[in-house]
Structures are given as C-alpha cells and as structure tokens.
Amino acid sequence: MTHDIDPAAAQRADRAYDDLVALVQHGPRFHGTAGIAAAGDWLEQRLTAVGWPVARQPVTLPGWQPGSVHRVAVQQPIARELPAWPMLWSGSTGGPRRGTVEAVGPQGLWGDSMVWQKFVVRSDDGDVVAYLHARDDGPAAPQPLPSGSDHDVAHLAIGRVDGLQLTEWIADGKPVELEVEADGGPVDAATSDNLIVDVPGTGDGSVLLCAHYDTFFNTVGAYDNGSGTIALLQLAERWATAPPVASVRLVFFTAEEWHLGGSRHFVDSASPDELDALDYVLNVDGLGRGSFVEAFGAPEAFSTAFRGALLQHAAVTRPDLELVTRFPPTTGTDDASFYRAGVPSAFLTFNDLHRLHQPDDEPNRGIAANVAWTVPLVEHLVASLTRPTRAAPPGVL
C-alpha cells in the first residue's frame, strides 16, 4: 500500500523495498561485527556509483557479545519460560542460577526516555543472581544498560505482560522462583565506521541529515533503522542529479544502539566552528508501518517550525497522518548528541513499537511506502526550514 497516487511515489516504494531487501541480506548490523562492515561496504558502493565520495570515520567502543543463551524460567508459582534477551553490556550468570524475584521499581532507560519495571533475582544467601527489566509496552526487546549498571551481573529484558505477571504474583504474596542463565559479556574493542557524504548545495545554508545503519544483535532491522538508511540513500541518489539549495552533510551513523556511540564520537571530533556552521540536524530513525509519526525538535522555537513544516507537507500528501510531538525531545536517538552540544536538532519516526529490536523486523511494503513518502518530506524540510536562533546547550534540568 502506498499513501500517494503519484506514480513516482509507487516507484520509490518499490525501489525502497528492493533496497531494504538488499540491505538486510548482510544480516544483523551489530556494531563491530562482519554484518555492519558488509553493509557499510554496500552503502559506499551505492553512493560512489552516483558520484558521491564517502569518508569513513572509525568508531571504537568497548566490545560486548550477547552469547547464545538467554533464559528465564519460572519455577514457582507456575512453571513457564519467559521470552528474554540480554541487555547490552550484561554480564554472565556463569551457568544456570536459581533465585527469588523482588520488585525494585521503575528503571529509566535512555535518560528516562523509556521507563521500564525492574526486578532483582536473589539467591538463598542473598547474592544478586540477575536483574530483569520489563518493557513498558510490547514484547521483550534488548536495550543498552544505563550508565552505572553492574556489568558483572546478568541483565535480561522481558516483555510488558510478563513483567505485569511477576508484579501480580509478588503483590499477592506468592514467592516467585526463577532459574536464569545468560552467557554474554565483554570482549575486545568493537569498531565500525560512520559514513559521511557531503552534498554541495546551490545556495546558502548547511544541514546535517543523519540515520543510523546499525542494529541490535537479534535483528536485521528493516524498520530500525534500515528504513532511515534507505531514505538517506535515495536522497543522495536524487541530489546527485538535482542538488538541494542548502548544502547537506549526510551521515550514516554506527553504534546508535550503543548509547549513541557513533554520533557522540562525531560531535566530540568536530570543532566548535564546524558545529556552529550547521543550521540544524535532522535525524531519520525508524520509518515503520502505519500512519503514527513522532516528530521531536529543540530548541522550542525550532520544534514549532519543524512541526509546522511537516504538517504543511502532510496536508496535501498524507491526510491520514497521526502526529505526536514532544518537548523536550527524547535522548535516545542520534539528534540528542548534537542538541547536547547546542545544535538545533529534529527527529522523525513512524513508530512501529512491536517491531523494535525484534527478529521479525524484516522488509515489508508498509515500511517501503513510508520511506517513499519521507524522501520528498525531507526535501521539503531541507528547503523550507531556515537557520534557527541558537539556544544554550541543555543543562541538567
């Protein structure tokens, strides 16, 4: 299904689907693995084929591997297995371990962009066996652990419904006994590349347009974020023959799933003058199925302008659009690295909650249709949004 009767939109959707299929053939694109290296080579080949040189910026982070075992088995009050994934930077249990579950309370992830429920599993002698993190909505999905977590202990993500069941049993006074096993843990440093393409404009202005091309270890990530990756690729191909007015720096970031490691490295490596030269940053992260769009921006005046420009385009191309904005924006996407440095930033996603970090996040026509719609939207945003007034970098509050 496409959302535009324009034959060009249908053609873009077909090409987006074919490109997504080609991208995911490289497998999961977890930072530091062969899958993301192969995907980076494929992207470079596509970009150079239309005349864009690609600069590579290596990003090296402490390494971690998920292991092959991630098991949470309830023994009491009812025997059952809970689907679970190891959280990024989780430690190992060192084999099967048994313990009793205690409810801890809210667990903030990505700077409280998400609030999950946390449980601790203790052995009979009181030692911490593992932590469980119950998602706020949807099935079990891995996420990176927040700063300060105990990386020597296993941390496992479970789904919302299973978290509610644990909470109910505990509230009813029923001892909840589990067997937990996980064998992930640290490895040598992990390195992958940010891919950078500079598109000269025909007039004034300078925009950084980005999408992350890495995934979690358990998915080929068509939605998160193969879709944004393909949108940037299609824009690069279009701008090779019809350049934008503003100059655009396209950046395909690695390690977004590793606490924004690729974008943080990019910002840390840039000079104050280079950052100040940017009018704003636009981040395309996850163009899932459906019509539910989240569009966040900062500072506040830029957020208002961004929302207005998006609605202007949607009024004539997408009357079914459901738009949600939030201020201040969440901190779990690559635009946050720039906003922390004082660069006006915006974020766009067709939120596809139940495909997030899931093995079934594979190419489909709904994703492709939204990629096709987003490409001219981004062209409209780049053409219509002007340089906003800078605000001071955000503080603690």
Side-chain angles (χ1 to χ4, degrees), residues 12-273:
R12 285 197 306 273
D14 288 341
R15 290 185 57 247
Y17 181 80
D18 291 343
D19 284 344
L20 280 169
V21 169
L23 176 63
V24 304
Q25 295 304 308
H26 304 293
R29 303 181 298 282
F30 198 46
H31 176 70
T33 65
I36 192 169
D41 290 343
W42 179 80
L43 285 167
E44 182 171 9
Q45 291 168 6
R46 288 288 301 271
L47 291 161
T48 56
V50 294
W52 296 125
V54 177
R56 288 180 175 257
Q57 182 183 49
V59 178
T60 300
L61 298 168
W64 179 84
Q65 58 86 25
S68 58
V69 179
H70 33 89
R71 210 176 132 258
V72 177
V74 179
Q75 308 295 310
Q76 295 289 342
I78 299 173
R80 56 175 294 217
E81 295 266 346
L82 306 185
W85 295 104
M87 300 283 274
L88 177 56
W89 298 307
S90 167
S92 170
T93 58
R97 299 283 306 278
R98 291 199 175 203
T100 302
V101 181
E102 302 170 12
V104 174
Q107 165 76 75
L109 299 174
W110 291 110
D112 287 346
S113 295
M114 298 180 290
V115 180
W116 293 10
Q117 293 301 311
K118 183 177 178 181
F119 303 85
V120 61
V121 183
R122 293 188 187 274
S123 65
D124 290 341
D125 58 11
D127 289 342
V128 174
V129 171
Y131 290 102
L132 304 181
H133 307 266
R135 191 175 174 188
D136 54 347
D137 198 3
Q143 291 286 356
L145 290 171
S147 177
S149 298
D150 187 348
H151 295 173
D152 293 329
V153 176
H155 293 71
L156 291 153
I158 62 175
R160 175 179 180 272
V161 172
D162 290 329
L164 291 173
Q165 180 65 84
L166 295 181
T167 299
E168 182 178 340
W169 281 333
I170 292 168
D172 286 346
K174 297 177 180 179
V176 181
E177 298 177 5
L178 300 180
E179 183 173 272
V180 182
E181 186 174 8
D183 62 351
V187 294
D188 292 339
T191 302
S192 299
D193 295 334
N194 292 333
L195 308 178
I196 304 167
V197 173
D198 285 314
V199 178
T202 60
D204 297 330
S206 177
V207 176
L208 189 143
L209 175 62
C210 62
H212 75 91
Y213 72 109
D214 68 308
T215 68
F216 250 93
F217 55 82
N218 63 335
T219 179
V220 296
Y223 151 61
D224 183 23
N225 183 30
S227 56
T229 299
I230 298 306
L232 260 63
L233 179 61
Q234 287 200 0
L235 284 159
E237 293 173 341
R238 287 160 70 94
W239 285 332
T241 56
V245 174
S247 294
V248 178
R249 171 164 278 192
L250 297 170
V251 187
F252 300 82
F253 282 122
T254 186
E256 188 267 359
E257 305 290 6
W258 295 50
H259 277 167
L260 317 183
S263 57
R264 287 191 293 112
H265 178 72
F266 182 94
V267 171
D268 290 345
S269 300
S271 70
D273 287 346

